[in-house]
Amino acid sequence: MTSSNRFDGMVAVVTGAASGLGAASARRLAEEGARIVAVDRDERIVDAARDLPGEAIGVVADISDEADVDAYMAAGLDRFGRIDRFHLNAGIFGSFAPLPDLAADDFEHVMRVNVTGQFLGLRAAFRHFRRTRTRGAVAVTASIAGHRGSADLLPYQTSKHAVVGLVHGAAVYGGPLGIRVNAVAPGIVPTQLFADAASTTGGGNDMVQRASTTPLRRAGSADEIAGVVAFLLSDDSSYMTGEVVSADGGASIVNTVRPSGGAGTWDTDRVDAPLYADWERGDDA
Ligand SMILES: NC(=O)c1ccc[n+]([C@@H]2O[C@H](COP(=O)([O-])OP(=O)(O)OC[C@H]3O[C@@H](n4cnc5c(N)ncnc54)[C@H](O)[C@@H]3O)[C@@H](O)[C@H]2O)c1
C-alpha cells in the first residue's frame, strides 16, 4: 500500500487488467486515488475490478476490436464522466515457431493484438482528449523485446518494436497539446504470459535461469513495473514524453560478448539444439 495520492480525482483506463502487469498497475493507480476502468477480454475482469480498492468497473472487451474499444470508452465515461489516464497494456506472446515455419496467420494475430490493439487504444485516448480538451497522459507496455532481437520470438518482438514507433509518433503529436505518451519496457516478470509461453527454451520453463543472467540477477515483480507506470502517468514525469523506460534488471544494457551476466551463462548448445534441429535434418515445413 502506498501513501501517495497522485491520481486523486482522476479516472484511469487499464487494459489487460485481469492478470499480471495490468492487474498490478490497476491496483497501484487505485491505491493512489484513481477510479479504474479495468478492461480485459477475460471475464475474470469483472471480479478483478470488484477487488480493487476504491471505485472501479470491469469491462469485457477485446482491445483489437474497434467496437469493443468504443464500448470500454463509453462504459468508463458513462460510469465516471471523465477519463484522464490510460495504461495500454494488454498483449500476447504468440508463436515461438522458427522463421521458416511461422504461419502468416500466427504472425498477423500477434500484430493485430499488440500493434493494432495499442493503436486503437491510443486513438481512442487522443479522440477523447481532443473532445474534452484534456491534457492527459498515456503509458504503453512495450518490452525488452522492443529493443533487441531473439531467434525464437519473431512476431512478438516485431510487434514490440512497432509499439515503440507508436509511442514516438503519438508523443510527438501530443507534445504541443500537453499530452504525454511514454512506455515501460519490462524484462522478465513471471506472469501468466510466460506460463502460457513455455517452450523448449526461452519460455516459462527457464525463466529463472534467464532472469539470473541480468545485472540484478533476478526476475522482476508486477508491482515493480506498476511503480514505473504510475510514475509515467503522474506529474512526477511531467517533462518526459516519448520515452521507453526499461524495467528489466539491467538486462538491456548488458554487453553480451563480455563477462557481464549474460555472457557465458548460457550453454549455447542447449539453446541451439532444439532451435536448429530441423536444419540438421533438412526438414521442410
Ligand atoms: N511478463 C513479462 O515479463 C513481460 C515482459 C515484457 C512485456 N510484457 C508485456 O506486458 C503486457 C502484459 O503482459 P503480462 O505479462 O501481464 O501477461 P498476462 O497474460 O498475465 O496478462 C495479459 C492480460 O491481457 C489480456 N489480453 C490479452 N489479449 C487481449 C485482448 N485482445 N483484449 C483484451 N485483453 C487482452 C489477457 O486476458 C490477460 O489478462 C503485455 O503487453 C506483454 O507483452 C510482459
Side-chain angles (χ1 to χ4, degrees), residues 102 107 110-111 114-115 145-146 148 153-164:
L102 253 177
F107 187 85
V110 176
M111 296 306 128
N114 290 6
V115 184
R148 302 279 185 269
L153 262 182
L154 198 73
Y156 183 77
Q157 66 196 300
T158 306
S159 74
K160 291 299 183 177
H161 277 70
V163 163
V164 173

Side-chain angles (χ1 to χ4, degrees), residues 15-23 39-45 59-65 68 87-93 109 112-114 117-118 141-145 156 159-160 184-194 196 207 220 222 225 247:
T15 67
S19 170
L21 308 190
V39 177
D40 206 290
R41 68 178 173 191
D42 188 324
E43 288 179 1
R44 284 180 307 161
I45 195 63
V59 185
V60 180
D62 179 343
I63 61 154
S64 67
D65 182 294
D68 278 17
H87 180 199
L88 302 175
N89 162 79
I92 57 171
F93 232 157
H109 179 56
R112 180 80 207 170
V113 176
N114 290 6
Q118 296 293 45
T141 305
S143 171
I144 188 173
Y156 183 77
S159 74
K160 291 299 183 177
V184 63
I188 294 178
V189 183
T191 61
Q192 192 59 37
L193 188 91
F194 275 97
D196 292 344
M207 180 183 293
I225 308 304

